Amino acid sequence: MNDARLATIRGLLAKAEATNFPDEAEAFTAKAAELMSRYAIDEATVWAADRSSGQPASRSITLHRPYLSQKAVLVNEVATIFGCKSVRMMVSVAAPTEVAMVVGFESDLDLVETMITSLLVQAATAMVTDQPSGLTSSGAAAFRRSHLMGFVDAAAGRLRQQHSAAIADRERAAESASAGSGSMSLVLADRAHAVTDEFRRQFPHVRHSRVSVGSSRDGRTAGQAAGRRADLGSPGLRRTRAIGA
């Protein structure tokens, strides 16, 4: 994605943060998220016309303790929505950070990094704000872990719906132009195959693991509510790899 497009997204989100009217802020945020999906589809269309215009690459995203497993779930959810694949680079339990590697096309990697950074910052703020007073240290940890997983579930669900809607809109436009039904889906499928091939080349021995959703029902409920409120982007983002809460 070029800088002008990123500037447009950030400008919309800056307006969303500046207004005191919730409905207006939601409208600006929804438009920014819509543009992110449209731009991702535009880049895929350009690639379909000239397959030599880009190849999958990888990008590292640094996650900070605590709740590394839950943060890695967010990385995977967002990466998947934008046609990328991710893997955790497991480290010692004493290490303060962990790296998640994301494989995808550069324009999609930009979107993934932007979204992950924004959502993790918002999740960190929301879990502190929503946490009830009087919890023990173990109770607070359980609440925050559950809150983060609830946040991820809700925010990723919203993002997935918006991205699917953008693809459907492009499909309808293609049909109206007699470009053939399903053309966008085929392009994205071809792009996904290219990403999968590169992912397998770079990480041939990936193992799957389970991640705790936490034991606090209140935490998960509050996290889901926060995820539904979340802005799907961050206007002040710069190209940083360090992410944490």
Side-chain angles (χ1 to χ4, degrees):
M1 178 183 291
N2 60 42
D3 290 341
R5 287 182 166 183
L6 282 174
T8 299
I9 291 170
R10 290 170 179 157
L12 285 167
L13 292 169
K15 291 179 181 179
E17 291 193 348
T19 182
N20 293 322
F21 300 100
D23 290 345
E24 189 176 60
E26 183 179 350
F28 282 131
T29 300
K31 184 61 177 178
E34 176 191 346
L35 287 177
M36 292 178 82
S37 290
R38 283 172 48 191
Y39 291 161
I41 294 169
D42 287 345
E43 292 291 339
T45 303
V46 171
W47 175 81
D50 180 9
R51 300 293 174 100
S52 65
S53 63
Q55 297 297 324
S58 61
R59 186 172 297 181
S60 64
I61 296 177
T62 301
L63 303 174
H64 290 258
R65 292 187 185 277
Y67 318 122
L68 288 176
S69 296
Q70 289 73 29
K71 291 174 182 178
V73 171
L74 177 61
V75 173
N76 183 68
E77 288 285 349
V78 176
T80 301
I81 290 166
F82 284 104
C84 302
K85 297 181 74 68
S86 71
V87 62
R88 293 176 66 186
M89 309 304 289
M90 303 295 287
V91 296
S92 164
V93 294
T97 62
E98 179 179 286
V99 170
M101 296 298 299
V102 183
V103 176
F105 288 84
E106 287 290 347
S107 57
D108 295 328
L109 292 174
D110 287 342
L111 293 173
V112 168
E113 187 175 17
T114 298
M115 190 61 66
I116 289 168
T117 301
S118 175
L119 291 179
L120 281 178
V121 170
Q122 293 179 68
T125 300
M127 72 170 66
V128 172
T129 301
D130 294 341
Q131 182 178 311
S133 59
L135 293 179
T136 64
S137 58
S138 60
F143 178 89
R144 293 188 177 195
R145 187 176 294 107
S146 298
H147 189 286
L148 181 53
M149 289 302 293
F151 182 96
V152 170
D153 181 56
R158 289 174 56 208
L159 187 62
R160 190 177 297 108
Q161 288 178 347
Q162 289 176 326
H163 197 61
S164 296
I167 294 171
D169 285 345
R170 182 59 62 89
E171 294 284 9
R172 285 191 290 270
E175 290 179 13
S176 298
S178 301
S181 177
S183 58
M184 194 68 242
S185 295
L186 291 175
V187 168
L188 294 176
D190 286 347
R191 206 165 159 92
H193 285 312
V195 170
T196 298
D197 288 344
E198 179 61 17
F199 182 83
R200 289 174 175 169
R201 187 189 71 78
Q202 292 193 32
F203 307 104
H205 305 295
V206 173
R207 295 186 300 170
H208 297 278
S209 62
R210 294 181 179 273
V211 175
S212 171
V213 299
S215 57
S216 171
R217 180 178 298 178
D218 290 343
R220 186 168 180 85
T221 299
Q224 288 174 330
R228 288 190 290 270
R229 298 191 304 267
D231 288 347
L232 300 183
S234 176
L237 182 66
R238 297 296 180 265
R239 292 185 60 83
T240 176
R241 300 289 197 271
I243 299 172

